[in-house]
Amino acid sequence: MVALVLVLIIALGMIAPLLRRLPVDAETEQASEDITIYRQQLSEIDRDLARGTLLPEEAERARTEISRRILTADGTRRGPTGTAPRAASIAIAAVTAVVLFGGTAALYMVLGQPGRADLPFENRLSDAEETRATLPAQASLEADTPAFTAPADAPANYAALQQSLREAAEANPTSIENWQILALFNYRLGDYAGAVSALQQIIAVKGETAETDDRLALIEAMVSAANGRISAEARDLIADTLARDPAAPGAVFYQGLVDADVGRPDLTFAAWRDYIENSPQSSMFTTQMHDQLTLIAELAGIRYTPPALLNATAEQIMAMSPAEQRVAIQNMVDQLGQRLADTGGSAGEWAQMVRALRTLGEHQRAALIVAEARTTFAADPEALALVEEAGTAPVTPLP
């Protein structure tokens, strides 16, 4: 209704001048009277010439002068040069009205939602919370996802390898390393549901000693297995992870995804902006937050340009406090881990990852990467030796 009123005001402003009749002023009326008098004078000249009281030369001069006065008066009577005929003005006014109202209606039918009822902000908030509370189960989302098919570059005997790893893990269910190898194999193969199952076993074995990275790995696998959607179980695991470790960038990132998915991009924007502005060190999760923050801001109705992320140098890390060093190294590990998962990486990057994990005290994860390197670099003894050395060389663990 507001839009229609605005269109009506604009239409009236454009059409009114076209339909307005120009006022007849005194000068115009006087010009019309003068023309009548001049025409009478021309008639008198003809009569005087016929009676012989006026010579032909005098009559011609008089006609010329009176004709000049008629032309001048007629120009004054007709008004300003370029005044359109009234019929043309009416036609233009009609076309203008049709274009304004018809065009507005056509745009609304394309861009708007004519059949949708009003949705006050309070209703939107309650609907968002209802959506959050009624997210579908993980099993339901996985059932709606296309069945797993091995990629073209999968090993020819991938099924046998997968079965062997699964049997090894089930034969010794308390061996976290076996479940980690199975989870990593399934995830890289694209069998995300299989990765979810293995990662759940890891957390079950670790219990309360499960780390934030364990939970984040499970969350990532659950979201991937659900084809990018977030289930009720993933929602609860994200909330639990954030409660346990509020400073973990992964927990902040995934909680923001939940808020955005249920219709609360304002909550996502507030959390991500606060994290980016106060923890600008680049990492896998902060980079994703940074890259999506402008769009999230637009969805929240805000114009915002996030600050640039920082990549700490080795010298800067050494100058940090132990707590800051841990955050910086963890960020580096996140980024490097993502790159290795995407592209494989060089032996030097694998060695760097192993050293960083051992510095953080994550010796089991470092050993798992060394074990995987023995398969990846089996045909390159020098590369494998580099990674093996990183797994045994002395490091100074952070407190």
Side-chain angles (χ1 to χ4, degrees):
M1 296 302 297
V2 172
L4 287 176
V5 170
L6 291 175
V7 172
L8 178 61
I9 293 173
I10 293 172
L12 290 177
M14 297 178 67
I15 294 173
L18 296 172
L19 299 180
R20 186 184 303 121
R21 289 181 178 274
L22 293 176
V24 179
D25 54 18
E27 186 177 3
T28 301
E29 293 181 354
Q30 183 62 48
S32 298
E33 295 176 359
D34 290 345
I35 289 174
T36 301
I37 294 173
Y38 294 149
R39 287 175 177 171
Q40 291 175 354
Q41 290 177 348
L42 287 175
S43 299
E44 291 175 359
I45 290 173
D46 292 337
R47 289 195 295 271
D48 291 342
L49 183 60
R51 287 196 300 267
T53 58
L54 192 64
L55 295 176
E57 295 81 3
E58 294 175 340
E60 185 63 27
R61 286 197 298 272
R63 285 197 189 94
T64 301
E65 176 61 23
I66 294 174
S67 296
R68 184 186 62 78
R69 294 180 180 179
I70 290 176
L71 290 174
T72 301
D74 187 59
T76 302
R77 183 184 64 176
R78 289 179 179 274
T81 301
T83 300
R86 182 158 182 76
S89 297
I90 294 175
I92 294 175
V95 171
T96 301
V98 169
V99 170
L100 283 175
F101 286 97
T104 300
L107 282 175
Y108 178 66
M109 295 302 293
V110 173
L111 302 177
Q113 294 181 319
R116 185 170 182 176
D118 290 341
L119 189 60
F121 187 65
E122 290 185 1
N123 291 4
R124 299 183 197 180
L125 297 182
S126 61
D127 289 349
E129 294 311 311
E130 181 179 357
T131 301
R132 189 195 304 274
T134 58
L135 288 173
Q138 181 72 24
S140 174
L141 294 180
E142 290 183 12
D144 293 338
T145 303
F148 164 71
T149 55
D153 59 349
N157 61 337
Y158 83 89
L161 288 172
Q162 190 177 41
Q163 181 63 24
S164 176
L165 293 173
R166 185 182 298 111
E167 290 175 353
E170 292 174 350
N172 190 5
T174 59
S175 173
I176 294 175
E177 183 176 356
N178 288 346
W179 289 115
Q180 287 176 328
I181 294 174
L182 176 60
L184 184 60
F185 180 87
N186 285 337
Y187 191 88
R188 291 193 172 180
L189 189 66
D191 184 2
Y192 301 120
V196 169
S197 178
L199 291 166
Q200 286 174 333
Q201 290 297 325
I202 293 173
I203 292 179
V205 172
K206 287 188 174 183
E208 288 301 314
T209 63
E211 301 173 352
T212 297
D213 286 345
D214 298 322
R215 294 183 173 85
L216 291 176
L218 177 55
I219 292 168
E220 174 65 25
M222 293 174 74
V223 173
S224 298
N227 201 22
R229 299 179 65 187
I230 296 176
S231 64
E233 293 88 339
R235 173 204 62 203
D236 295 341
L237 182 57
I238 291 168
D240 178 64
T241 305
L242 187 63
R244 292 171 181 268
D245 191 356
V252 176
F253 172 72
Y254 281 115
Q255 184 59 54
L257 290 187
V258 174
D259 292 332
D261 283 351
V262 302
R264 291 299 306 273
D266 57 313
L267 297 180
T268 304
F269 172 73
W272 287 5
R273 179 184 63 179
D274 181 68
Y275 198 90
I276 291 297
E277 291 181 351
N278 292 286
S279 304
Q281 294 291 340
S282 179
S283 71
M284 178 181 68
F285 291 111
T286 52
T287 298
Q288 293 186 67
M289 282 188 270
H290 182 274
D291 292 344
Q292 299 181 48
L293 196 50
T294 300
L295 174 59
I296 290 294
E298 291 180 1
L299 294 176
I302 301 169
R303 290 183 178 178
Y304 176 76
T305 301
L309 296 175
L310 304 178
N311 286 306
T313 63
E315 293 78 8
Q316 290 173 328
I317 292 177
M318 292 299 295
M320 295 177 180
S321 66
E324 292 173 332
Q325 286 180 350
R326 177 171 289 276
V327 172
I329 294 176
Q330 185 63 60
N331 289 340
M332 183 270 289
V333 166
D334 289 341
Q335 285 185 300
L336 186 56
Q338 183 66 36
R339 186 161 67 250
L340 294 181
D342 292 340
T343 63
S346 64
E349 290 175 321
W350 282 63
Q352 182 184 9
M353 182 71 151
V354 171
R355 285 192 296 269
L357 288 172
R358 294 178 64 214
T359 302
L360 293 172
E362 299 184 26
H363 299 286
Q364 190 173 33
R365 188 177 171 192
L368 179 63
I369 293 178
V370 173
E372 185 181 356
R374 294 189 183 108
T375 301
T376 303
F377 299 105
D380 190 347
E382 292 184 3
L384 179 56
L386 184 62
V387 181
E388 293 273 14
E389 181 185 2
T392 58
V395 296
T396 303
L398 291 174

